[in-house]
Amino acid sequence: MGKYIVKRFFISVVTILVLITIVFVLVRLLPGDPFSDPLVPDEIRLRMLSYYGLDRPVLEQYGLYMKNLMQGDLGYSLRFKGRTVNRIIADSFPYSLDLGLRALFTAAFAGLFLGITSALNKDKKWDGLTMLIAIVGVSVPSFIMASLLQYFLSFKLGLFPVAQYRSFMHTILPTFALSLGTLAVLARLMRTSMLDVVGMDYIKNAKAKGLSQFQITWKHQIRNAILPIVTILGMTVASLLTGTFVIENIFAIPGMGKHYVMGIQNLDYPMISGLTIVYGTFLVFSQFLVDILYGFIDPRIRVDKKN
Amino acid sequence: MSDIMSDVLGLVDIPLEEFGVLGKDEYVSEVVNRPSVGYWKDAWRRLRKNKLAMIGLCIIIIYTIMAIIGPWMTSFSYRTNYLMETNIRPNAQHWFGTDVLGRDLWARVWVGARISLFIGLVAALVQTFLGILIGGVAGYFGGNLDLVIMRIVDILSGIPFLIFVILIMMVIGSGLFPIIITFAITGWLGMARLVRGQVLQLKEQDFMTAAKAMGASSSRLILKHLIPNMSGVIIVTLTMRIPQAIFTEAFLSYIGLGVKPPMTSWGQLANAGGQVMQVHPYQLLIPAFFISTMMLALQLFGDGLRDALDPKLRK
């Protein structure tokens, strides 16, 4: 297990370093420099370049960039005068975290619930209905779902606030729109997994021992069926996170995703590279934690990885 | 007991001598009465029975045909602004109405379909090709090459797909071909892993050893034995990639990295519609309907295809 953790950790760290390097190279590859406006006199331009270290050899720049990153300094936003990317992230992170956690819990609980109940009622009406919800959830892109919900439920019927993020009522639509896709994937996977497990010998054994149906389902079937779900938790976090890009825009939530998309539209490079690194690091480590968690829960995976 | 039996069978009065061999034709007994059913035909038969998959296939075919002929069915061009006729609701002249800049939405929806479907198909094909090439090389030759390739895949696939796509698009710009190139660069990882796994599995099987023993060259082994045996899994993955690519393109268009106007795509139409949805909801609802039904159709068809082609999932 120790060796497995070390190996996973090593790969995660290398992944983050590669990501940072890619961000560095891509940003340097962009045509022009931040001060190439023809109105800027040459002297000022050169001074600015030397001030930001852009006139030095690329390798030295890379070293400086890494050094700043290690100190947690992501630089200044080009769009918001005098605000550091760190400051912007610190301001917007709580909103994204709040929305993300709400969506994660909604997707996990509702998805697993739907998956389990539909497997237990296989080929009945409830199963059909659940799988219909699941297939719609997978098919309708989150930004379309969000726009439709906003139009019909908020704008037409006035059931929910149209936008912003202030009270519990404000959170319902964004949470639902963000979680629907993940919810659908989880429900489908859980259903398949439950049906895979139901024919196993240990279920028959439990039945033969005379356990009640409730105990068999709860203690044996669900516990075993949930194992494969853990592997896609990392992917789930990633899709929720990238989902916030559009959901935060549609509902005017001042989170990181909104800043990321605005950064892209305004070509605010420090903002984009800073947020990319933060997102990337966060996701790589959540994947790392999921892998470790899975290694603990299911010892078979450690053996499989070796072969 | 035996009396009853012979009564029932009406054999009572037939003497034993009457029984005899009427003649045996080796040729006739060996004739196959029904046409033999190969892998593809078998799969097609199973797919045809799957109603949902067939509905999906019909929708895909209809949308594809409409993408080809749709823009020609109306006299309005997708890029001409009829500035006197902005934001007109669907009517007899403009079947889907016009947008904020007075462009005919019917034409735009189907031109957008061309772009979305083209991106979906080409991106999926390029990803699959690269995946087969790289995964195949890693799996077939093995050793250090395999180790290096798979480490690279491990590390790159740690980077979230969309973030990777956004970064590359920032540098090479937005537009039709940048999108396809970006999807190709970022999308081959999963396919390479899948193909490598398949190759490793197939490599050890008896038919491969037999072919090798009979002196088949590497290229023959790969082209004639490995690839045909993987084709089911590859096609299923390919079909699943198409909606993913369309989805990603729509997402990129939505955040402003898609194809450049006046060219359009379904994602961009939905984005443009979303901005005026409170006043002109049809501008959002129409593209939303087409994206969603197309995704649904591809999903249903892909599921059906997987059930039909992948023997491992057949139960």
Side-chain angles (χ1 to χ4, degrees), chain B residues 2-286:
Chain B
S2 72
D3 280 353
I4 298 169
M5 280 293 280
S6 38
D7 274 356
V8 170
L9 293 172
L11 295 173
V12 193
D13 298 326
I14 303 174
L16 200 62
E17 304 87 73
E18 302 267 318
F19 290 97
V21 180
L22 283 175
K24 188 173 91 181
D25 193 328
E26 291 267 337
Y27 179 73
V28 171
S29 64
E30 291 293 321
V31 162
V32 180
N33 275 324
R34 289 159 201 272
S36 72
V37 176
Y39 176 62
W40 296 108
K41 211 165 173 187
D42 184 37
W44 170 238
R45 224 163 48 175
R46 217 168 304 114
L47 186 64
R48 224 171 29 189
K49 274 194 211 139
N50 188 335
K51 262 186 219 146
L52 286 176
M54 289 327 276
I55 295 174
L57 183 62
C58 286
I59 296 177
I60 295 169
I61 292 173
I62 293 170
Y63 284 4
T64 311
I65 293 174
M66 284 309 290
I68 298 167
I69 62 168
W72 289 325
M73 289 169 69
T74 167
S75 51
F76 302 104
S77 150
Y78 75 95
R79 54 188 305 166
T80 315
N81 304 342
Y82 302 93
L83 289 173
M84 302 301 283
E85 311 178 353
T86 57
N87 295 322
I88 290 181
R89 280 164 186 269
N91 59 20
Q93 226 186 353
H94 298 281
W95 296 325
F96 284 167
T98 56
D99 68 2
V100 184
L101 294 172
R103 292 174 295 201
D104 183 66
L105 270 180
W106 171 276
R108 287 184 75 71
V109 161
W110 296 116
V111 169
R114 281 183 189 174
I115 300 298
S116 288
L117 298 183
F118 180 77
I119 287 176
L121 193 66
V122 175
L125 283 175
V126 175
Q127 288 174 358
T128 307
F129 177 74
L130 282 177
I132 292 177
L133 198 72
I134 299 173
V137 164
Y140 188 79
F141 294 104
N144 282 333
L145 189 65
D146 180 31
L147 202 73
V148 171
I149 292 179
M150 289 330 281
R151 278 297 149 271
I152 294 175
V153 170
D154 270 351
I155 287 165
L156 287 184
S157 53
I159 301 172
F161 175 70
L162 261 176
I163 285 182
F164 207 179
V165 168
I166 289 171
L167 272 181
I168 296 178
M169 300 263 329
M170 300 287 314
V171 177
I172 62 177
S174 55
L176 187 57
F177 285 97
I179 288 181
I180 288 174
I181 293 169
T182 310
F183 285 9
I185 299 174
T186 49
W188 57 271
L189 301 163
M191 193 56 121
R193 222 180 234 159
L194 179 86
V195 169
R196 174 182 171 268
Q198 288 278 315
V199 169
L200 285 181
Q201 229 175 52
L202 291 171
K203 212 165 69 167
E204 305 301 326
Q205 295 201 354
D206 290 342
F207 66 87
M208 287 295 286
T209 322
K212 221 181 270 175
M214 283 190 278
S217 62
S218 270
S219 64
R220 192 183 160 81
L221 281 175
I222 292 172
L223 293 176
K224 285 271 170 184
H225 295 281
L226 277 180
I227 291 183
N229 273 296
M230 295 188 295
S231 51
V233 184
I234 288 174
I235 288 178
V236 170
T237 318
L238 178 72
T239 346
M240 297 298 193
R241 279 298 162 88
I242 297 176
Q244 203 200 359
I246 295 179
F247 187 93
T248 312
E249 188 278 326
F251 185 93
L252 289 174
S253 288
Y254 205 90
I255 62 175
L257 281 174
V259 291
K260 287 182 191 129
M263 198 27 99
T264 191
S265 73
W266 280 351
Q268 208 180 54
L269 286 170
N271 183 19
Q275 284 164 8
V276 294
M277 104 187 143
Q278 300 186 347
V279 204
H280 311 291
Y282 66 93
Q283 290 186 21
L284 168 68
L285 294 180
I286 291 170

Side-chain angles (χ1 to χ4, degrees), chain A:
Chain A
M1 190 65 196
K3 207 175 156 193
Y4 173 72
I5 295 181
V6 170
K7 196 181 146 197
R8 296 302 314 165
F9 183 78
F10 181 71
I11 290 183
S12 303
V13 170
V14 174
T15 306
I16 291 167
L17 287 179
V18 169
L19 176 68
I20 293 173
T21 312
I22 290 177
V23 170
F24 176 83
V25 171
L26 289 184
V27 170
R28 293 304 176 282
L29 273 180
L30 292 166
D33 57 61
F35 315 106
S36 57
D37 191 319
L39 291 178
V40 177
D42 263 0
E43 296 159 35
I44 294 181
R45 187 172 158 263
L46 288 177
R47 265 189 66 185
M48 292 305 269
L49 284 179
S50 82
Y51 177 77
Y52 283 102
L54 292 174
D55 53 351
R56 288 190 227 145
V58 180
L59 266 181
E60 207 180 313
Q61 283 185 40
Y62 183 66
L64 192 72
Y65 181 75
M66 279 300 204
K67 198 182 127 213
N68 285 340
L69 268 184
M70 292 303 145
Q71 289 166 348
D73 182 4
L74 297 169
Y76 284 90
S77 161
L78 297 179
R79 161 91 184 163
F80 298 100
K81 297 265 153 48
R83 288 180 77 189
T84 60
V85 175
N86 294 47
R87 183 79 227 136
I88 291 169
I89 291 178
D91 286 346
S92 56
F93 179 71
Y95 289 99
S96 295
L97 183 72
D98 185 76
L99 178 61
L101 285 180
R102 278 170 201 273
L104 185 63
F105 281 109
T106 310
F109 282 110
L112 292 182
F113 175 77
L114 290 181
I116 290 168
T117 48
S118 76
L120 294 179
N121 295 294
K122 189 172 182 285
D123 296 330
K124 289 189 196 148
K125 266 186 198 155
W126 175 251
D127 183 28
L129 184 71
T130 312
M131 285 305 107
L132 186 75
I133 296 175
I135 198 119
V136 169
V138 176
S139 309
V140 181
S142 62
F143 57 91
I144 288 191
M145 182 50 82
S147 305
L148 294 180
L149 287 174
Q150 199 180 32
Y151 180 69
F152 285 110
L153 297 186
S154 304
F155 194 71
K156 279 276 162 190
L157 298 174
L159 294 177
F160 299 98
V162 175
Q164 296 197 329
Y165 205 70
R166 289 200 204 129
S167 67
F168 176 69
M169 286 304 271
H170 286 91
T171 66
I172 293 178
L173 288 189
T175 305
F176 182 69
L178 183 56
S179 60
L180 189 67
T182 312
L183 185 156
V185 172
L186 284 176
R188 283 181 82 175
L189 264 176
M190 190 61 192
R191 178 179 180 272
T192 321
S193 182
M194 285 284 284
L195 294 177
D196 280 348
V197 165
V198 84
M200 293 287 175
D201 288 342
Y202 49 78
I203 299 284
K204 282 183 200 155
N205 183 38
K207 235 177 241 172
K209 271 174 19 189
L211 291 187
S212 69
Q213 188 58 45
F214 177 78
Q215 275 184 311
I216 296 174
T217 310
W218 194 248
K219 286 201 167 164
H220 295 268
Q221 200 181 352
I222 292 178
R223 270 204 177 184
N224 281 291
I226 220 160
L227 279 182
I229 308 293
V230 178
T231 42
I232 66 149
L233 267 182
M235 194 205 83
T236 303
V237 173
S239 80
L240 285 180
L241 214 146
T242 39
T244 59
F245 296 176
V246 286
I247 301 293
E248 286 177 3
N249 259 293
I250 291 172
F251 290 101
I253 300 167
M256 280 161 65
K258 190 173 161 57
H259 282 292
Y260 196 53
V261 175
M262 271 167 55
I264 291 166
Q265 282 157 3
N266 298 326
L267 300 183
D268 189 346
Y269 294 118
M271 184 85 117
I272 297 165
S273 40
L275 278 173
T276 302
I277 291 167
V278 170
Y279 275 135
T281 312
F282 178 72
L283 286 177
V284 169
F285 269 96
S286 49
Q287 182 63 50
F288 169 70
L289 288 180
V290 167
D291 283 349
I292 300 299
L293 183 70
Y294 198 54
F296 269 114
I297 297 175
D298 189 357
R300 281 172 299 182
I301 196 81
R302 302 188 307 242
V303 184
D304 279 354
K305 287 265 160 149
K306 230 175 272 174
N307 295 338

